[in-house]
Amino acid sequence: LSIRLGRIQNQHFTTGTGTGQPRGVVVASTVGKTGTTGQTTTAIYDDLVDLEHSVDPIYRALPGVGFMMHDSSLKVVRKIKDSQGRPIFVPGYEQGNPGGAPDRLLNRPITVNQDMATMAANAKSILFGAFTKYKVRDVMDLTLFRMTDSAFTLSGQIGFVAFMRSGGNLIDAGGSVKHYANSAT
């Protein structure tokens, strides 16, 4: 039950519409960079740099500022190569060195969120910014009901229903979190 509630909350806090559910961070974010024509399922190095610099330097200086994307988008980013055919991002490259850094992109942490959109036409596939500016408010604690009425008892079952109310929104309208939008065509 806790896993199910956690997963649905993550989905709502990521892509929630704000009507009958929290306003997700993707919905609340503003565009930082749109891919050029033909980039419906890709991003290039310059797009990542432009996305990073679309966020105000004050927010970029905050602790924990980084990227958020679906695992399949991370796979696309890992395939970006320089003009010599070398990948720009090699996860775990420095892990074996004493004091090695964890996986980072443009020296920023990466959060894999499976509720983010995968790269497709018009998809908001990568977020960058100060995710601490997204606030979650728990309105009601978890309430759990155990039902042993005759419908369940006749089948040798017990039913459970759980309720909880939460809200979420990006509290900064100035652009602390921006998204990369893939091209429409």
Side-chain angles (χ1 to χ4, degrees):
L1 183 63
S2 65
I3 291 172
R4 175 68 181 132
L5 290 172
R7 289 179 70 97
I8 196 68
Q9 278 194 313
N10 184 66
Q11 179 184 353
H12 289 288
F13 294 145
T14 304
T15 59
T17 63
T19 304
Q21 52 189 236
R23 186 168 183 230
V25 67
V26 174
V27 174
S29 69
T30 56
V31 67
K33 175 66 177 177
T34 302
T36 58
T37 301
Q39 287 182 239
T40 56
T41 60
T42 61
I44 60 174
Y45 177 78
D46 291 352
D47 294 336
L48 299 173
V49 172
D50 289 345
L51 177 61
E52 179 182 21
H53 286 272
S54 70
V55 173
D56 189 286
I58 295 296
Y59 293 122
R60 290 196 321 255
L62 293 174
V65 172
F67 291 93
M68 181 183 292
M69 63 189 83
H70 191 281
D71 188 56
S72 66
S73 296
L74 180 58
K75 180 173 75 171
V76 170
V77 170
R78 288 183 64 194
K79 292 180 180 180
I80 298 174
K81 295 181 175 60
D82 67 11
S83 61
Q84 303 297 315
R86 298 172 297 203
I88 65 157
F89 172 56
V90 182
Y93 177 72
E94 296 185 24
Q95 291 283 57
N97 297 332
D103 296 340
R104 297 171 77 78
L105 179 61
L106 301 178
N107 202 29
R108 303 287 188 172
I110 303 164
T111 301
V112 174
N113 183 341
Q114 293 300 88
D115 289 313
M116 288 285 298
T118 59
M119 290 196 176
N122 285 327
K124 298 174 183 176
S125 57
I126 301 174
L127 291 179
F128 176 81
F131 296 105
T132 57
K133 295 298 178 185
Y134 185 84
K135 298 298 180 187
V136 173
R137 181 178 76 118
D138 289 327
V139 181
M140 180 178 89
D141 281 336
L142 176 66
T143 304
L144 179 67
F145 294 101
R146 179 178 186 256
M147 299 178 296
T148 57
D149 64 8
S150 61
F152 288 103
T153 303
L154 290 173
S155 300
Q157 299 174 340
I158 298 172
F160 293 94
V161 175
F163 295 96
M164 77 185 291
R165 288 185 52 117
S166 295
N169 200 357
L170 193 58
I171 61 165
D172 172 64
S176 60
V177 176
K178 302 270 184 115
H179 63 259
Y180 170 75
N182 290 88
S183 171
T185 58

